[in-house]
Amino acid sequence: MRILITGGAGFIGSNFVHYTLEKYPEDRIIVLDALTYAGNLENFNKHTWSNPNFQFFHGNIIDEDLVNELMRNVDTVVHFAAETHVDRSIREAGAFLETDIWGTYILLEAAKQNGIKRFVHISTDEVYGEAEGRPSVEGDDLKPKSPYAASKAGADRLAWSYWATYGLPVAISRCSNNYGPFQYPEKLIPLFVTNAIEEKPLPVYGHGKNTRDWIFVQDHCSGIDALLRSEDGKVNGEVFNISSENELSVLDITEIILATLKKPKSLINHVEDRPGHVTRHAVNPGKIRKALGWEPGYGFEENIAKTIDWYKANEDWWRNLKEKQAEYQEWIKTQYGDHS
Ligand code: NAD
Ligand code: DAU
């Protein structure tokens, strides 16, 4: 396979690059990434850089000419590139509309023109909004609550419309909250793990009882892999939830991190709540299990411990962001002010 991976220098994208190069050494990968504050060339090690089947292009998915040129050299696309942080979308939504919706449109058009054989669109469980009463299923209404989630819902439906209208072979994943190595330290788990290591306060929004459905990033990668490689009739035009059915509250996660790192609970700092804060995100993965035989391979307890160990062992990786990246420092000051 020759795969164009957009957003491949981000958290999930880079894990997916590693996953694919290891599992399918014959495949050719082209990464297109704009290297926003969240994209990081240090997510690839020297083995990846020297792999002849790996190519990196620094560029934006809204650059039509570049996208068309790259698309001519691949047969499949996995589209991760997006603005992804809910809190940032609450402060400034424009970049989310531009990348997540317009950028997806540019890619879909190029995919249509270049006869792409499978376009895996990485959507998110955020598109459902609140999971009321039970985990969301694929046929549920989309009631996104943040500008990020609404942009992703637009992109998700736009991708599906290219299947319905033009027959473009699109498959869509809606995964729950990922955790693992290489996650930018603005999201809950890497922010709290690294703050705890530094003995800085852990800023819990509001009461901290909001729950999320946590999945190890490798399990998301194996689900995407199934969407990429399953036969046409099983996945084209279909949406699949991906989850390892592991719901925990923000306070649960915070306490696990503190206990694992042997840090005091006094580091917990309740701060002002996120506007429009979703009380519960959770999705039912029954469809992908039944249709594609996908199963999560990783339990939470073991993998949160492994993830914490990874941040302990890779201090240079996150300190380069927290201590040297101006965008990071500016964000923390804007978002947390005196609580940072
Ligand atoms: P991330 O923020 O870590 O990485 C995003 C990547 O996209 C970065 O490398 C960035 O440089 C790149 N990018 C941003 N704008 C771009 C543009 N205009 N052109 C090219 N590249 C651009 O994000 P992530 O957490 O790895 O999420 C990846 C995808 O998975 C997103 O589509 C997100 O909505 C989705 N998703 C994330 C989660 C999660 O828990 N993190 C869960 C479900 C779905
Ligand atoms: O559900 C999938 C989504 O998960 C992805 O689509 C998004 O890209 C990803 O960012 C994530 O969204 P969340 O808003 O759930 O993730 P975040 O890590 O920002 O927050 C998780 C929970 O932790 C949420 O209830 C808010 C809370 N939180 C977060 C931060 C950053 C805090 O209490 N304090 C914080 O400082």
Side-chain angles (χ1 to χ4, degrees), residues 83-87 123-126 148 152 175-178 183 186-192 202-206 208 210-214 250 271 274 277-279 281 335-336:
E83 288 293 336
T84 63
H85 194 31
V86 171
D87 293 321
S123 186
T124 165
D125 71 352
E126 298 263 343
Y148 160 69
K152 291 292 293 186
C175 189
S176 60
N177 284 61
N178 287 221
Q183 187 168 26
E186 65 186 350
K187 306 284 166 62
L188 178 75
I189 289 182
L191 176 68
F192 280 21
L202 311 190
V204 171
Y205 296 156
N210 306 55
T211 61
R212 295 291 183 268
D213 178 356
W214 300 94
V250 172
V271 300
R274 171 187 279 178
H277 198 166
V278 173
T279 309
H281 277 309
Q335 180 68 2
Y336 302 101

mmCIF file of all heavy atoms in Angstrom, residues 83-87 123-126 148 152 175-178 183 186-192 202-206 208 210-214 250 271 274 277-279 281 335-336, ligand 2:
data_model
loop_
_atom_site.group_PDB
_atom_site.id
_atom_site.type_symbol
_atom_site.label_atom_id
_atom_site.label_comp_id
_atom_site.label_asym_id
_atom_site.label_seq_id
_atom_site.Cartn_x
_atom_site.Cartn_y
_atom_site.Cartn_z
ATOM 1 N N GLU A 83 -6.984 20.670 13.976
ATOM 2 C CA GLU A 83 -6.835 21.366 15.257
ATOM 3 C C GLU A 83 -7.650 20.519 16.220
ATOM 4 O O GLU A 83 -8.805 20.175 15.925
ATOM 5 C CB GLU A 83 -7.386 22.784 15.164
ATOM 6 C CG GLU A 83 -6.531 23.727 14.341
ATOM 7 C CD GLU A 83 -5.175 24.021 14.970
ATOM 8 O OE1 GLU A 83 -5.043 23.899 16.209
ATOM 9 O OE2 GLU A 83 -4.244 24.370 14.221
ATOM 10 N N THR A 84 -7.075 20.191 17.396
ATOM 11 C CA THR A 84 -7.687 19.125 18.197
ATOM 12 C C THR A 84 -8.022 19.481 19.643
ATOM 13 O O THR A 84 -8.581 18.642 20.351
ATOM 14 C CB THR A 84 -6.752 17.893 18.244
ATOM 15 O OG1 THR A 84 -5.531 18.281 18.895
ATOM 16 C CG2 THR A 84 -6.457 17.341 16.860
ATOM 17 N N HIS A 85 -7.649 20.669 20.108
ATOM 18 C CA HIS A 85 -7.833 20.905 21.544
ATOM 19 C C HIS A 85 -9.113 21.706 21.822
ATOM 20 O O HIS A 85 -9.242 22.863 21.406
ATOM 21 C CB HIS A 85 -6.607 21.613 22.128
ATOM 22 C CG HIS A 85 -6.569 21.590 23.624
ATOM 23 N ND1 HIS A 85 -7.097 20.557 24.378
ATOM 24 C CD2 HIS A 85 -6.073 22.479 24.525
ATOM 25 C CE1 HIS A 85 -6.930 20.815 25.664
ATOM 26 N NE2 HIS A 85 -6.310 21.967 25.778
ATOM 27 N N VAL A 86 -10.031 21.078 22.540
ATOM 28 C CA VAL A 86 -11.337 21.678 22.843
ATOM 29 C C VAL A 86 -11.172 23.079 23.460
ATOM 30 O O VAL A 86 -11.826 24.042 23.051
ATOM 31 C CB VAL A 86 -12.135 20.753 23.793
ATOM 32 C CG1 VAL A 86 -13.395 21.434 24.308
ATOM 33 C CG2 VAL A 86 -12.474 19.440 23.088
ATOM 34 N N ASP A 87 -10.288 23.201 24.448
ATOM 35 C CA ASP A 87 -10.133 24.492 25.136
ATOM 36 C C ASP A 87 -9.679 25.596 24.182
ATOM 37 O O ASP A 87 -10.109 26.739 24.290
ATOM 38 C CB ASP A 87 -9.120 24.370 26.285
ATOM 39 C CG ASP A 87 -9.637 23.485 27.403
ATOM 40 O OD1 ASP A 87 -10.835 23.569 27.711
ATOM 41 O OD2 ASP A 87 -8.846 22.698 27.960
ATOM 42 N N SER A 123 -12.513 10.746 12.595
ATOM 43 C CA SER A 123 -13.440 11.620 13.300
ATOM 44 C C SER A 123 -13.252 11.388 14.809
ATOM 45 O O SER A 123 -12.172 10.945 15.233
ATOM 46 C CB SER A 123 -14.865 11.319 12.835
ATOM 47 O OG SER A 123 -15.784 12.224 13.396
ATOM 48 N N THR A 124 -14.238 11.642 15.606
ATOM 49 C CA THR A 124 -14.066 11.557 17.060
ATOM 50 C C THR A 124 -15.414 11.338 17.750
ATOM 51 O O THR A 124 -16.453 11.721 17.202
ATOM 52 C CB THR A 124 -13.440 12.870 17.610
ATOM 53 O OG1 THR A 124 -13.593 12.921 19.027
ATOM 54 C CG2 THR A 124 -14.103 14.111 17.027
ATOM 55 N N ASP A 125 -15.371 10.777 18.943
ATOM 56 C CA ASP A 125 -16.636 10.600 19.684
ATOM 57 C C ASP A 125 -17.216 11.940 20.153
ATOM 58 O O ASP A 125 -18.371 12.010 20.559
ATOM 59 C CB ASP A 125 -16.461 9.631 20.861
ATOM 60 C CG ASP A 125 -15.636 10.171 22.021
ATOM 61 O OD1 ASP A 125 -15.045 11.262 21.896
ATOM 62 O OD2 ASP A 125 -15.579 9.497 23.066
ATOM 63 N N GLU A 126 -16.398 13.009 20.073
ATOM 64 C CA GLU A 126 -16.900 14.338 20.462
ATOM 65 C C GLU A 126 -18.092 14.758 19.605
ATOM 66 O O GLU A 126 -18.876 15.614 20.011
ATOM 67 C CB GLU A 126 -15.806 15.398 20.310
ATOM 68 C CG GLU A 126 -14.603 15.186 21.183
ATOM 69 C CD GLU A 126 -14.634 15.994 22.477
ATOM 70 O OE1 GLU A 126 -15.401 16.947 22.586
ATOM 71 O OE2 GLU A 126 -13.869 15.624 23.381
ATOM 72 N N TYR A 148 -14.684 22.864 18.421
ATOM 73 C CA TYR A 148 -13.872 21.749 17.902
ATOM 74 C C TYR A 148 -14.777 20.614 17.459
ATOM 75 O O TYR A 148 -14.690 20.115 16.331
ATOM 76 C CB TYR A 148 -12.888 21.255 18.980
ATOM 77 C CG TYR A 148 -12.371 19.832 18.722
ATOM 78 C CD1 TYR A 148 -11.523 19.570 17.658
ATOM 79 C CD2 TYR A 148 -12.760 18.766 19.540
ATOM 80 C CE1 TYR A 148 -11.068 18.281 17.406
ATOM 81 C CE2 TYR A 148 -12.308 17.475 19.304
ATOM 82 C CZ TYR A 148 -11.463 17.229 18.232
ATOM 83 O OH TYR A 148 -11.017 15.952 17.979
ATOM 84 N N LYS A 152 -15.463 19.046 13.714
ATOM 85 C CA LYS A 152 -15.229 17.628 13.393
ATOM 86 C C LYS A 152 -16.518 16.975 12.890
ATOM 87 O O LYS A 152 -16.479 16.103 12.022
ATOM 88 C CB LYS A 152 -14.696 16.881 14.624
ATOM 89 C CG LYS A 152 -13.296 17.276 15.049
ATOM 90 C CD LYS A 152 -12.200 16.874 14.076
ATOM 91 C CE LYS A 152 -12.008 15.386 13.960
ATOM 92 N NZ LYS A 152 -10.829 15.047 13.108
ATOM 93 N N CYS A 175 -13.438 7.626 17.534
ATOM 94 C CA CYS A 175 -12.776 7.000 18.687
ATOM 95 C C CYS A 175 -12.940 7.877 19.930
ATOM 96 O O CYS A 175 -13.187 9.075 19.856
ATOM 97 C CB CYS A 175 -11.299 6.810 18.359
ATOM 98 S SG CYS A 175 -10.412 5.826 19.582
ATOM 99 N N SER A 176 -12.776 7.227 21.074
ATOM 100 C CA SER A 176 -12.843 7.930 22.357
ATOM 101 C C SER A 176 -11.473 8.528 22.711
ATOM 102 O O SER A 176 -10.574 8.557 21.870
ATOM 103 C CB SER A 176 -13.318 6.943 23.422
ATOM 104 O OG SER A 176 -12.389 5.879 23.494
ATOM 105 N N ASN A 177 -11.302 8.976 23.954
ATOM 106 C CA ASN A 177 -10.069 9.667 24.373
ATOM 107 C C ASN A 177 -8.850 8.750 24.367
ATOM 108 O O ASN A 177 -8.812 7.758 25.106
ATOM 109 C CB ASN A 177 -10.229 10.214 25.793
ATOM 110 C CG ASN A 177 -11.082 11.449 25.835
ATOM 111 O OD1 ASN A 177 -12.252 11.417 25.461
ATOM 112 N ND2 ASN A 177 -10.507 12.559 26.277
ATOM 113 N N ASN A 178 -7.862 9.119 23.585
ATOM 114 C CA ASN A 178 -6.624 8.340 23.501
ATOM 115 C C ASN A 178 -5.624 8.777 24.570
ATOM 116 O O ASN A 178 -5.589 9.961 24.932
ATOM 117 C CB ASN A 178 -5.941 8.586 22.153
ATOM 118 C CG ASN A 178 -6.634 7.937 20.973
ATOM 119 O OD1 ASN A 178 -5.979 7.398 20.092
ATOM 120 N ND2 ASN A 178 -7.957 7.962 20.922
ATOM 121 N N GLN A 183 1.926 12.381 23.324
ATOM 122 C CA GLN A 183 0.746 13.252 23.332
ATOM 123 C C GLN A 183 1.161 14.640 23.829
ATOM 124 O O GLN A 183 1.785 14.774 24.890
ATOM 125 C CB GLN A 183 -0.373 12.677 24.208
ATOM 126 C CG GLN A 183 -1.672 13.482 24.088
ATOM 127 C CD GLN A 183 -2.879 12.778 24.699
ATOM 128 O OE1 GLN A 183 -2.724 11.957 25.614
ATOM 129 N NE2 GLN A 183 -4.072 13.092 24.223
ATOM 130 N N GLU A 186 -0.795 19.434 26.484
ATOM 131 C CA GLU A 186 -1.920 20.330 26.795
ATOM 132 C C GLU A 186 -3.146 19.505 27.171
ATOM 133 O O GLU A 186 -4.074 20.021 27.786
ATOM 134 C CB GLU A 186 -2.270 21.204 25.584
ATOM 135 C CG GLU A 186 -2.801 20.404 24.402
ATOM 136 C CD GLU A 186 -3.041 21.194 23.127
ATOM 137 O OE1 GLU A 186 -2.981 22.427 23.155
ATOM 138 O OE2 GLU A 186 -3.279 20.547 22.088
ATOM 139 N N LYS A 187 -3.158 18.207 26.793
ATOM 140 C CA LYS A 187 -4.304 17.344 27.046
ATOM 141 C C LYS A 187 -4.188 16.766 28.455
ATOM 142 O O LYS A 187 -3.091 16.707 29.030
ATOM 143 C CB LYS A 187 -4.357 16.207 26.008
ATOM 144 C CG LYS A 187 -4.340 16.682 24.551
ATOM 145 C CD LYS A 187 -5.656 17.244 24.094
ATOM 146 C CE LYS A 187 -5.570 18.026 22.790
ATOM 147 N NZ LYS A 187 -5.144 17.296 21.633
ATOM 148 N N LEU A 188 -5.313 16.310 29.003
ATOM 149 C CA LEU A 188 -5.358 15.957 30.431
ATOM 150 C C LEU A 188 -4.193 15.073 30.894
ATOM 151 O O LEU A 188 -3.463 15.446 31.819
ATOM 152 C CB LEU A 188 -6.692 15.264 30.759
ATOM 153 C CG LEU A 188 -6.803 14.816 32.217
ATOM 154 C CD1 LEU A 188 -7.049 15.998 33.141
ATOM 155 C CD2 LEU A 188 -7.907 13.787 32.399
ATOM 156 N N ILE A 189 -4.046 13.885 30.284
ATOM 157 C CA ILE A 189 -3.078 12.932 30.856
ATOM 158 C C ILE A 189 -1.633 13.433 30.751
ATOM 159 O O ILE A 189 -0.947 13.511 31.784
ATOM 160 C CB ILE A 189 -3.301 11.510 30.286
ATOM 161 C CG1 ILE A 189 -4.618 10.975 30.873
ATOM 162 C CG2 ILE A 189 -2.114 10.580 30.585
ATOM 163 C CD1 ILE A 189 -5.013 9.561 30.481
ATOM 164 N N PRO A 190 -1.144 13.851 29.573
ATOM 165 C CA PRO A 190 0.258 14.316 29.566
ATOM 166 C C PRO A 190 0.480 15.604 30.375
ATOM 167 O O PRO A 190 1.549 15.772 30.973
ATOM 168 C CB PRO A 190 0.555 14.529 28.073
ATOM 169 C CG PRO A 190 -0.767 14.624 27.413
ATOM 170 C CD PRO A 190 -1.721 13.800 28.229
ATOM 171 N N LEU A 191 -0.546 16.484 30.432
ATOM 172 C CA LEU A 191 -0.392 17.701 31.242
ATOM 173 C C LEU A 191 -0.255 17.334 32.719
ATOM 174 O O LEU A 191 0.645 17.806 33.422
ATOM 175 C CB LEU A 191 -1.592 18.642 31.041
ATOM 176 C CG LEU A 191 -1.580 19.900 31.912
ATOM 177 C CD1 LEU A 191 -0.443 20.854 31.508
ATOM 178 C CD2 LEU A 191 -2.916 20.649 31.856
ATOM 179 N N PHE A 192 -1.134 16.439 33.176
ATOM 180 C CA PHE A 192 -1.134 16.113 34.603
ATOM 181 C C PHE A 192 0.076 15.246 34.989
ATOM 182 O O PHE A 192 0.646 15.421 36.062
ATOM 183 C CB PHE A 192 -2.455 15.427 34.990
ATOM 184 C CG PHE A 192 -3.603 16.408 35.190
ATOM 185 C CD1 PHE A 192 -3.582 17.679 34.633
ATOM 186 C CD2 PHE A 192 -4.717 16.047 35.950
ATOM 187 C CE1 PHE A 192 -4.636 18.579 34.815
ATOM 188 C CE2 PHE A 192 -5.777 16.942 36.151
ATOM 189 C CZ PHE A 192 -5.742 18.207 35.586
ATOM 190 N N LEU A 202 -2.241 20.418 39.561
ATOM 191 C CA LEU A 202 -2.999 19.751 38.498
ATOM 192 C C LEU A 202 -4.367 20.443 38.422
ATOM 193 O O LEU A 202 -5.204 20.277 39.329
ATOM 194 C CB LEU A 202 -3.183 18.258 38.796
ATOM 195 C CG LEU A 202 -1.934 17.461 39.198
ATOM 196 C CD1 LEU A 202 -2.245 15.962 39.220
ATOM 197 C CD2 LEU A 202 -0.763 17.717 38.261
ATOM 198 N N PRO A 203 -4.607 21.248 37.380
ATOM 199 C CA PRO A 203 -5.823 22.068 37.318
ATOM 200 C C PRO A 203 -7.055 21.283 36.863
ATOM 201 O O PRO A 203 -7.301 21.123 35.667
ATOM 202 C CB PRO A 203 -5.452 23.148 36.286
ATOM 203 C CG PRO A 203 -4.448 22.494 35.400
ATOM 204 C CD PRO A 203 -3.718 21.479 36.217
ATOM 205 N N VAL A 204 -7.840 20.803 37.818
ATOM 206 C CA VAL A 204 -9.068 20.047 37.514
ATOM 207 C C VAL A 204 -10.196 21.049 37.247
ATOM 208 O O VAL A 204 -10.467 21.912 38.087
ATOM 209 C CB VAL A 204 -9.429 19.131 38.700
ATOM 210 C CG1 VAL A 204 -10.811 18.506 38.519
ATOM 211 C CG2 VAL A 204 -8.363 18.056 38.885
ATOM 212 N N TYR A 205 -10.840 20.930 36.085
ATOM 213 C CA TYR A 205 -11.941 21.846 35.763
ATOM 214 C C TYR A 205 -13.180 21.489 36.600
ATOM 215 O O TYR A 205 -13.658 20.349 36.548
ATOM 216 C CB TYR A 205 -12.330 21.744 34.284
ATOM 217 C CG TYR A 205 -11.260 22.175 33.289
ATOM 218 C CD1 TYR A 205 -11.271 21.682 31.987
ATOM 219 C CD2 TYR A 205 -10.265 23.085 33.625
ATOM 220 C CE1 TYR A 205 -10.313 22.075 31.052
ATOM 221 C CE2 TYR A 205 -9.298 23.480 32.712
ATOM 222 C CZ TYR A 205 -9.328 22.974 31.427
ATOM 223 O OH TYR A 205 -8.377 23.361 30.513
ATOM 224 N N GLY A 206 -13.697 22.463 37.320
ATOM 225 C CA GLY A 206 -14.925 22.254 38.096
ATOM 226 C C GLY A 206 -14.759 21.129 39.100
ATOM 227 O O GLY A 206 -13.696 20.963 39.716
ATOM 228 N N GLY A 208 -14.661 17.889 38.576
ATOM 229 C CA GLY A 208 -13.793 16.786 38.141
ATOM 230 C C GLY A 208 -14.501 15.457 37.993
ATOM 231 O O GLY A 208 -13.863 14.414 37.837
ATOM 232 N N ASN A 210 -16.623 14.711 35.583
ATOM 233 C CA ASN A 210 -16.919 14.422 34.169
ATOM 234 C C ASN A 210 -16.146 13.171 33.755
ATOM 235 O O ASN A 210 -14.988 13.004 34.145
ATOM 236 C CB ASN A 210 -16.453 15.592 33.291
ATOM 237 C CG ASN A 210 -17.048 16.904 33.755
ATOM 238 O OD1 ASN A 210 -16.898 17.270 34.917
ATOM 239 N ND2 ASN A 210 -17.733 17.588 32.881
ATOM 240 N N THR A 211 -16.796 12.319 32.971
ATOM 241 C CA THR A 211 -16.108 11.077 32.594
ATOM 242 C C THR A 211 -15.766 11.066 31.102
ATOM 243 O O THR A 211 -16.444 11.675 30.277
ATOM 244 C CB THR A 211 -16.957 9.830 32.906
ATOM 245 O OG1 THR A 211 -18.171 9.903 32.159
ATOM 246 C CG2 THR A 211 -17.266 9.719 34.389
ATOM 247 N N ARG A 212 -14.695 10.334 30.807
ATOM 248 C CA ARG A 212 -14.268 10.080 29.439
ATOM 249 C C ARG A 212 -13.990 8.585 29.331
ATOM 250 O O ARG A 212 -13.813 7.892 30.341
ATOM 251 C CB ARG A 212 -12.986 10.869 29.091
ATOM 252 C CG ARG A 212 -13.163 12.409 29.101
ATOM 253 C CD ARG A 212 -14.038 12.864 27.960
ATOM 254 N NE ARG A 212 -14.189 14.319 27.869
ATOM 255 C CZ ARG A 212 -15.164 15.019 28.444
ATOM 256 N NH1 ARG A 212 -16.059 14.403 29.217
ATOM 257 N NH2 ARG A 212 -15.262 16.316 28.267
ATOM 258 N N ASP A 213 -13.904 8.111 28.079
ATOM 259 C CA ASP A 213 -13.777 6.683 27.785
ATOM 260 C C ASP A 213 -12.351 6.509 27.231
ATOM 261 O O ASP A 213 -12.084 6.906 26.097
ATOM 262 C CB ASP A 213 -14.886 6.417 26.738
ATOM 263 C CG ASP A 213 -14.966 5.018 26.217
ATOM 264 O OD1 ASP A 213 -14.128 4.202 26.586
ATOM 265 O OD2 ASP A 213 -15.882 4.771 25.417
ATOM 266 N N TRP A 214 -11.440 5.973 28.056
ATOM 267 C CA TRP A 214 -10.003 6.057 27.749
ATOM 268 C C TRP A 214 -9.507 4.839 26.980
ATOM 269 O O TRP A 214 -9.738 3.704 27.394
ATOM 270 C CB TRP A 214 -9.205 6.232 29.047
ATOM 271 C CG TRP A 214 -9.614 7.484 29.757
ATOM 272 C CD1 TRP A 214 -10.552 7.592 30.757
ATOM 273 C CD2 TRP A 214 -9.159 8.816 29.489
ATOM 274 N NE1 TRP A 214 -10.691 8.913 31.120
ATOM 275 C CE2 TRP A 214 -9.856 9.686 30.366
ATOM 276 C CE3 TRP A 214 -8.231 9.361 28.602
ATOM 277 C CZ2 TRP A 214 -9.655 11.060 30.381
ATOM 278 C CZ3 TRP A 214 -8.030 10.732 28.618
ATOM 279 C CH2 TRP A 214 -8.731 11.564 29.496
ATOM 280 N N VAL A 250 -12.322 12.515 35.527
ATOM 281 C CA VAL A 250 -11.075 13.287 35.575
ATOM 282 C C VAL A 250 -10.400 13.093 36.939
ATOM 283 O O VAL A 250 -9.174 12.916 37.025
ATOM 284 C CB VAL A 250 -11.380 14.781 35.307
ATOM 285 C CG1 VAL A 250 -10.155 15.643 35.538
ATOM 286 C CG2 VAL A 250 -11.915 14.961 33.890
ATOM 287 N N VAL A 271 -10.136 24.337 39.405
ATOM 288 C CA VAL A 271 -10.182 25.666 38.780
ATOM 289 C C VAL A 271 -11.531 25.829 38.075
ATOM 290 O O VAL A 271 -12.345 24.901 38.040
ATOM 291 C CB VAL A 271 -9.003 25.861 37.781
ATOM 292 C CG1 VAL A 271 -7.661 25.734 38.489
ATOM 293 C CG2 VAL A 271 -9.084 24.866 36.615
ATOM 294 N N ARG A 274 -14.687 24.271 32.356
ATOM 295 C CA ARG A 274 -14.673 24.523 30.904
ATOM 296 C C ARG A 274 -16.097 24.892 30.470
ATOM 297 O O ARG A 274 -17.036 24.158 30.811
ATOM 298 C CB ARG A 274 -14.206 23.235 30.215
ATOM 299 C CG ARG A 274 -14.327 23.234 28.714
ATOM 300 C CD ARG A 274 -14.008 21.835 28.142
ATOM 301 N NE ARG A 274 -12.589 21.592 28.030
ATOM 302 C CZ ARG A 274 -12.051 20.438 27.600
ATOM 303 N NH1 ARG A 274 -12.824 19.429 27.264
ATOM 304 N NH2 ARG A 274 -10.757 20.289 27.516
ATOM 305 N N HIS A 277 -18.759 22.178 29.108
ATOM 306 C CA HIS A 277 -18.035 20.946 29.443
ATOM 307 C C HIS A 277 -18.940 19.712 29.301
ATOM 308 O O HIS A 277 -19.963 19.611 29.987
ATOM 309 C CB HIS A 277 -17.528 21.060 30.887
ATOM 310 C CG HIS A 277 -16.439 20.108 31.225
ATOM 311 N ND1 HIS A 277 -15.682 20.240 32.356
ATOM 312 C CD2 HIS A 277 -15.966 19.003 30.594
ATOM 313 C CE1 HIS A 277 -14.789 19.268 32.421
ATOM 314 N NE2 HIS A 277 -14.946 18.504 31.360
ATOM 315 N N VAL A 278 -18.558 18.776 28.448
ATOM 316 C CA VAL A 278 -19.355 17.560 28.257
ATOM 317 C C VAL A 278 -19.225 16.684 29.506
ATOM 318 O O VAL A 278 -18.121 16.367 29.947
ATOM 319 C CB VAL A 278 -18.895 16.788 26.990
ATOM 320 C CG1 VAL A 278 -19.594 15.436 26.890
ATOM 321 C CG2 VAL A 278 -19.153 17.618 25.744
ATOM 322 N N THR A 279 -20.374 16.294 30.063
ATOM 323 C CA THR A 279 -20.376 15.515 31.303
ATOM 324 C C THR A 279 -19.842 14.099 31.056
ATOM 325 O O THR A 279 -19.068 13.569 31.846
ATOM 326 C CB THR A 279 -21.833 15.379 31.822
ATOM 327 O OG1 THR A 279 -22.387 16.688 31.849
ATOM 328 C CG2 THR A 279 -21.887 14.773 33.196
ATOM 329 N N HIS A 281 -18.495 11.422 27.805
ATOM 330 C CA HIS A 281 -18.277 10.887 26.459
ATOM 331 C C HIS A 281 -18.018 9.402 26.621
ATOM 332 O O HIS A 281 -17.155 9.000 27.413
ATOM 333 C CB HIS A 281 -17.018 11.472 25.812
ATOM 334 C CG HIS A 281 -17.195 12.797 25.156
ATOM 335 N ND1 HIS A 281 -18.186 13.069 24.254
ATOM 336 C CD2 HIS A 281 -16.458 13.941 25.246
ATOM 337 C CE1 HIS A 281 -18.075 14.308 23.823
ATOM 338 N NE2 HIS A 281 -17.045 14.867 24.423
ATOM 339 N N GLN A 335 -4.510 30.085 29.453
ATOM 340 C CA GLN A 335 -5.559 29.174 29.913
ATOM 341 C C GLN A 335 -5.619 29.068 31.438
ATOM 342 O O GLN A 335 -6.694 28.958 32.006
ATOM 343 C CB GLN A 335 -5.324 27.779 29.284
ATOM 344 C CG GLN A 335 -6.326 26.717 29.672
ATOM 345 C CD GLN A 335 -7.731 26.978 29.116
ATOM 346 O OE1 GLN A 335 -7.970 27.950 28.393
ATOM 347 N NE2 GLN A 335 -8.665 26.125 29.471
ATOM 348 N N TYR A 336 -4.448 29.052 32.066
ATOM 349 C CA TYR A 336 -4.437 28.748 33.504
ATOM 350 C C TYR A 336 -4.005 29.934 34.376
ATOM 351 O O TYR A 336 -4.153 29.868 35.600
ATOM 352 C CB TYR A 336 -3.544 27.535 33.785
ATOM 353 C CG TYR A 336 -3.991 26.298 33.031
ATOM 354 C CD1 TYR A 336 -3.337 25.898 31.862
ATOM 355 C CD2 TYR A 336 -5.088 25.554 33.466
ATOM 356 C CE1 TYR A 336 -3.762 24.774 31.157
ATOM 357 C CE2 TYR A 336 -5.520 24.438 32.760
ATOM 358 C CZ TYR A 336 -4.847 24.052 31.605
ATOM 359 O OH TYR A 336 -5.278 22.953 30.903
HETATM 360 O O1 DAU B 2 -13.120 12.216 22.907
HETATM 361 C C1 DAU B 2 -12.090 12.362 21.958
HETATM 362 C C2 DAU B 2 -11.483 13.718 22.154
HETATM 363 O O2 DAU B 2 -10.724 13.650 23.342
HETATM 364 C C3 DAU B 2 -10.621 14.158 20.982
HETATM 365 O O3 DAU B 2 -11.449 14.309 19.856
HETATM 366 C C4 DAU B 2 -9.923 15.476 21.298
HETATM 367 O O4 DAU B 2 -9.039 15.825 20.246
HETATM 368 C C5 DAU B 2 -9.128 15.293 22.564
HETATM 369 O O5 DAU B 2 -8.530 16.516 22.925
HETATM 370 C C6 DAU B 2 -10.031 14.802 23.700
HETATM 371 O O6 DAU B 2 -10.967 15.841 24.124
HETATM 372 P P1 DAU B 2 -11.259 16.124 25.679
HETATM 373 O O7 DAU B 2 -11.761 17.487 25.822
HETATM 374 O O8 DAU B 2 -12.033 15.005 26.279
HETATM 375 O O9 DAU B 2 -9.728 15.974 26.221
HETATM 376 P P2 DAU B 2 -8.906 16.838 27.281
HETATM 377 O O10 DAU B 2 -7.657 16.077 27.567
HETATM 378 O O11 DAU B 2 -8.788 18.255 26.887
HETATM 379 O O12 DAU B 2 -9.863 16.769 28.573
HETATM 380 C C7 DAU B 2 -10.226 15.530 29.161
HETATM 381 C C8 DAU B 2 -11.048 15.816 30.417
HETATM 382 O O13 DAU B 2 -10.196 16.451 31.370
HETATM 383 C C9 DAU B 2 -12.193 16.779 30.180
HETATM 384 O O14 DAU B 2 -13.281 16.419 31.032
HETATM 385 C C10 DAU B 2 -11.645 18.132 30.648
HETATM 386 C C11 DAU B 2 -10.692 17.727 31.763
HETATM 387 N N1 DAU B 2 -9.520 18.624 31.957
HETATM 388 C C12 DAU B 2 -8.699 18.840 30.907
HETATM 389 C C13 DAU B 2 -7.613 19.673 31.024
HETATM 390 C C14 DAU B 2 -6.688 19.930 29.852
HETATM 391 C C15 DAU B 2 -9.292 19.209 33.188
HETATM 392 O O15 DAU B 2 -10.045 18.984 34.164
HETATM 393 N N2 DAU B 2 -8.206 20.034 33.313
HETATM 394 C C16 DAU B 2 -7.365 20.319 32.282
HETATM 395 O O16 DAU B 2 -6.409 21.094 32.459
#
